[in-house]
Amino acid sequence: TKLLKATISFPEIIQNISLEIAPDFQMKNINGEYISITDFRGYYVYINVWTTWSRRSEKEIVAFNSLVEKFGGENIVFINVSIDSSKDWTTWITRINEKKMNGIQLFADNGWDSDFVKEYRVDVPHSILIDPSGIILNSVAPYPSNPAINEILSKIYNYGK
């Protein structure tokens, strides 16, 4: 199958693999609608975890936007997940607009106490790469600013072309 070939073709991205399906989540997008990770089955998913108060997150947002511009729209979905506390909802929306953030924007309610943080064992910044069948390929994927992620996403983006 295409998925099996993709996995075999990209051994360098298979790190910290659990061979587990990514835990499902329900998070609000900027319009208040609930989105689930299962909505993106059939696509590779690159998740960038951030907060509005983290300076390191700021650096990664710029690089994340570049990745979306370069590789978005084909077989890769880009998601920014904020793990700010619920009281920071308005600040989160403001920051998205100020930074002209690309990709899908999701808010993990309850911040550090959210199920997302617990199930995915994340910190900030943090990146995760999931394959089209929902398997976590890399639970600590390279940050958006790391040149290695460009190489990985390029291989995924060009696979089968």
Side-chain angles (χ1 to χ4, degrees):
T1 67
K2 184 173 182 177
L3 174 61
L4 180 59
K5 288 179 184 173
T7 301
I8 291 169
S9 298
F10 309 135
E12 67 276 14
I13 69 172
I14 312 300
Q15 297 174 11
N16 303 301
I17 190 168
S18 62
L19 294 178
E20 291 180 39
I21 298 293
D24 197 14
F25 57 69
Q26 294 279 320
M27 291 185 211
K28 287 183 183 177
N29 67 12
I30 196 166
N31 298 317
E33 303 162 328
Y34 282 95
I35 305 293
S36 170
I37 190 65
T38 58
D39 294 341
F40 305 105
R41 290 280 162 80
Y43 298 92
Y44 285 91
V45 178
Y46 182 69
I47 299 174
N48 178 53
V49 182
W50 71 290
T51 63
T52 57
W53 50 264
S54 168
R55 292 207 184 269
R56 287 187 64 202
S57 292
E58 290 277 328
K59 175 183 173 187
E60 299 307 328
I61 288 168
V62 173
F64 185 86
N65 281 346
S66 295
L67 291 175
V68 177
E69 289 173 16
K70 188 172 182 179
F71 301 113
E74 292 285 328
N75 57 344
I76 308 169
V77 173
F78 292 86
I79 301 175
N80 271 314
V81 172
S82 168
I83 56 173
D84 285 295
S85 63
S86 299
K87 68 178 178 54
D88 294 321
W89 173 265
T90 305
T91 304
W92 173 68
I93 291 174
T94 301
R95 186 63 50 87
I96 290 168
N97 291 325
E98 285 174 355
K99 298 294 179 184
K100 297 182 170 91
M101 293 172 68
N102 293 330
I104 296 165
Q105 309 302 318
L106 299 179
F107 192 87
D109 230 359
N110 299 322
W112 291 99
D113 293 323
S114 70
D115 290 340
F116 175 78
V117 169
K118 293 173 187 171
E119 292 175 353
Y120 284 83
R121 297 178 297 280
V122 299
D123 200 351
V124 287
H126 193 99
S127 299
I128 303 163
L129 185 61
I130 300 171
D131 82 0
S133 63
I135 294 173
I136 298 174
L137 291 178
N138 194 328
S139 61
V140 288
Y143 295 148
S145 63
N146 184 331
I149 196 62
N150 266 286
E151 200 173 311
I152 291 166
L153 294 176
S154 180
K155 289 180 180 182
I156 291 170
Y157 182 80
N158 291 309
Y159 179 73
K161 288 187 176 181

